Amino acid sequence: MDTIYCVPEIGIMLEVDSMEYESVIGLEIHSELSTKTKIFCGCTTEFGGDVNTHCCPICSGMPGTLPVMNEKVVEYAVKAGLAMNCEISLFSKQDRKNYFYPDLPKAYQISQYDLPICKNGYLDITVNNEVKRIGITRIHVEEDAGKLLHNAWGNGTLVDMNRCGVPLIEIVTEPDMRSAEEAKALLEKIRTILRYIDVSDCKMQEGSLRCDVNVSVMPKGSTEFGTRTEMKNISSFSATERAINTEIARQINVVSEGGTISQETRRWDDEKGESFVMRTKEDAQDYRYFPEPDLAPIVLTEEYVENIRKNLPELPDKKHARYLSEYGLSEYDTTLLVQTKELAKFFEEAVSYGALPKAASNWILGDISKVLNERGITIEEIEITPKQLAELIGEISNGKISNTAGKTVFEEMLLNTGKSVAEIIEEKGLAQVSDEGAILEMVKKVLSENAESIEAYKKGKTNVVGFLVGKVMKESQGKANPKIINQLIVEELNK
Ligand code: ADP
Ligand code: MG
Ligand code: ZN
């Protein structure tokens, strides 16, 4: 397969025989934990706020201050580790990662080095209908840095320390992915899980989920990985895919021309669609990691870990399998329903109120999702409740109202009038006519006006039945039960 990629450095479209090369991808994912307070002090973690108003002497790095570990951070990290099938370390510790940058007032970041809190996990992703297992090397806890505001005031750069000390987990994967698609699938899986377990809101745009991608290429079939580059500053899921594909193309171009890849950190510019060298890659020793002397190690008991494991909600993979077997939904619908826990919850509640699963799924993925997209709201904000949806589905399936009338009821419920499904049906006169006597009257009337259709039917043109059903339906102003109309017309025609 010849793929054409744009290689911006040389400003031309270059045809690359990607068949000859295989790409290798590993991710480092940072996720801000949604604890109320920061990792080592009591300041709020809230996003936004006036610059430098969410900080204190501890998180702004004043000398002599002492950090205290926020227990919730440990709990959330353990939760994330268990949800990603990791081993939880009963003994882990914090380390100082030393580097100078203006957004890091202490000139070291408190992180974890050789003893992360979680390790050796995995997650399964599905790409092109194939399930693939991706190793999770480790998950560690660390503090976030502040933000630099360039040219916000006059001609310089200012530091906003509101984000300093916001707790992060860093999830490091094995270099197990072979395409941008797989990397994106894993990132999405991780977001879904972190949201299910309520430890992060994972908004890439607000930076509460950030992803650095490590990419290398090697000749197809090789067992030795090529030199990797690391790319930073990727701020959306689609940008992840673009950044990886562009980097793969760049590297293939370099090596196929006989060049070598240097281990470096690059900065992705999504608008330009290209990446730029930030720095040649530092090794771990450059950070002069050493144990954080101001914090006690994190010592956990089996009981503590098991207690968190017991309280984990049903996770997306398990839910997926259950929806397929228990509700007989399609693979496609199931994938959409379990993608967010709110959608899944709404669905399950509707079913618990007696809604037919297939119908509930259709309403949620159809009309309801349409409203959510149009209004940019979540399913928790929509006016209709799972119980009302179940009632609506019940009235359609028991023949009280038609599908079309169902849509009218749905629209009415969105107006938040507080009326029940039954009240709306009553008030709008939407009840379907199932009274055979009344429908027979209408059938007879329509047949008397359409003698030629009767002739046609007698000659074997049975498709006139559909036409006649339509006529009767119109006669009843859409309220007659179509099943009964159909049955009565056939009976009359066969007389
Ligand atoms: P560092 O800590 O220096 O960033 P790691 O060994 O922890 O280095 O690896 C960081 C990331 O790079 C991991 O996600 C890993 O899967 C990935 N990685 C390692 N080697 C390669 C490679 N040859 N190609 C692509 N990704 C790689
Ligand atoms: Mg790294
Ligand atoms: Zn603080």
Side-chain angles (χ1 to χ4, degrees), residues 209-489:
L209 185 72
R210 309 196 283 271
C211 178
D212 302 339
V213 297
N214 295 271
V215 176
S216 66
V217 296
M218 61 182 178
K220 259 243 153 95
S222 168
T223 48
E224 205 177 309
F225 290 170
T227 303
R228 73 174 194 272
T229 61
E230 178 174 346
M231 220 170 346
K232 294 188 178 290
N233 193 43
I234 299 171
S235 57
S236 72
F237 286 83
S238 57
T240 311
E241 241 181 328
R242 283 191 290 277
I244 293 173
N245 279 329
T246 308
E247 180 60 9
I248 291 171
R250 188 191 70 84
Q251 291 189 13
I252 291 176
N253 184 47
V254 170
V255 292
S256 60
E257 304 254 287
T260 50
I261 303 296
S262 41
Q263 191 180 334
E264 62 201 9
T265 304
R266 303 177 69 88
R267 184 178 165 280
W268 174 247
D269 186 324
D270 202 43
E271 249 165 56
K272 295 202 172 82
E274 56 182 312
S275 63
F276 302 91
V277 179
M278 274 170 80
R279 53 177 183 258
T280 51
K281 180 74 183 168
E282 59 289 315
D283 280 324
Q285 66 205 31
D286 296 337
Y287 290 119
R288 205 170 52 87
Y289 275 101
F290 65 86
E292 166 60 59
D294 290 340
L295 283 163
I298 303 171
V299 181
L300 308 176
T301 62
E302 296 274 4
E303 199 190 352
Y304 173 86
V305 175
E306 284 318 305
N307 198 35
I308 294 177
R309 193 196 303 274
K310 261 202 332 254
N311 288 304
L312 281 179
E314 183 179 41
L315 295 170
D317 281 356
K318 210 162 168 209
K319 219 183 247 310
H320 190 114
R322 186 166 66 81
Y323 280 20
L324 290 180
S325 65
E326 199 169 305
Y327 301 128
L329 299 178
S330 73
E331 176 72 34
Y332 182 78
D333 290 354
T334 304
T335 303
L336 291 176
L337 279 178
V338 305
Q339 213 156 46
T340 71
K341 70 167 190 297
E342 292 79 15
L343 227 51
K345 182 166 170 249
F346 195 99
F347 168 77
E348 287 176 30
E349 279 180 24
V351 170
S352 78
Y353 283 112
L356 300 169
K358 182 68 192 149
S361 164
N362 287 346
W363 276 98
I364 292 170
L365 299 176
D367 295 82
I368 291 182
S369 289
K370 191 161 156 258
V371 172
L372 303 184
N373 289 336
E374 278 167 7
R375 295 210 232 144
I377 56 171
T378 68
I379 199 158
E380 289 165 310
E381 295 169 272
I382 200 167
E383 292 80 3
I384 167 167
T385 64
K387 185 160 178 266
Q388 286 176 312
L389 179 64
E391 283 166 12
L392 174 57
I393 290 170
E395 300 294 25
I396 295 170
S397 68
N398 70 21
K400 174 123 184 247
I401 57 171
S402 66
N403 266 315
T404 321
K407 307 269 177 193
T408 309
V409 174
F410 178 74
E411 295 296 324
E412 185 71 17
M413 285 194 293
L414 290 178
L415 301 176
N416 203 13
T417 52
K419 287 179 193 137
S420 71
V421 173
E423 280 166 344
I424 297 172
I425 293 173
E426 173 72 33
E427 200 166 286
K428 301 223 146 208
L430 293 169
Q432 201 159 236
V433 177
S434 294
D435 170 5
E436 291 202 13
I439 296 175
L440 186 59
E441 288 297 304
M442 290 185 264
V443 167
K444 284 185 170 159
K445 176 162 184 275
V446 166
L447 286 179
S448 71
E449 289 164 356
N450 290 278
E452 64 293 356
S453 296
I454 303 176
E455 285 307 307
Y457 182 80
K458 299 242 149 100
K459 286 185 187 139
K461 287 190 117 185
T462 50
N463 59 353
V464 295
V465 173
F467 166 76
L468 294 169
V469 170
K471 286 271 173 197
V472 178
M473 198 54 147
K474 205 167 165 203
E475 183 72 27
S476 75
Q477 289 164 328
K479 284 187 219 155
N481 184 324
K483 258 196 216 143
I484 299 176
I485 304 177
N486 197 76
Q487 180 203 325
L488 292 177
I489 287 178

Side-chain angles (χ1 to χ4, degrees), residues 50-52 55 101-105 145-164:
D50 257 358
V51 292
N52 296 316
C55 17
Y101 204 66
D103 63 9
L104 186 74
K147 259 187 209 160
L148 296 183
L149 306 168
H150 302 289
N151 300 320
W153 181 69
N155 211 356
T157 293
L158 299 174
V159 189
D160 176 11
M161 293 197 273
N162 282 354
R163 204 177 65 179
C164 288

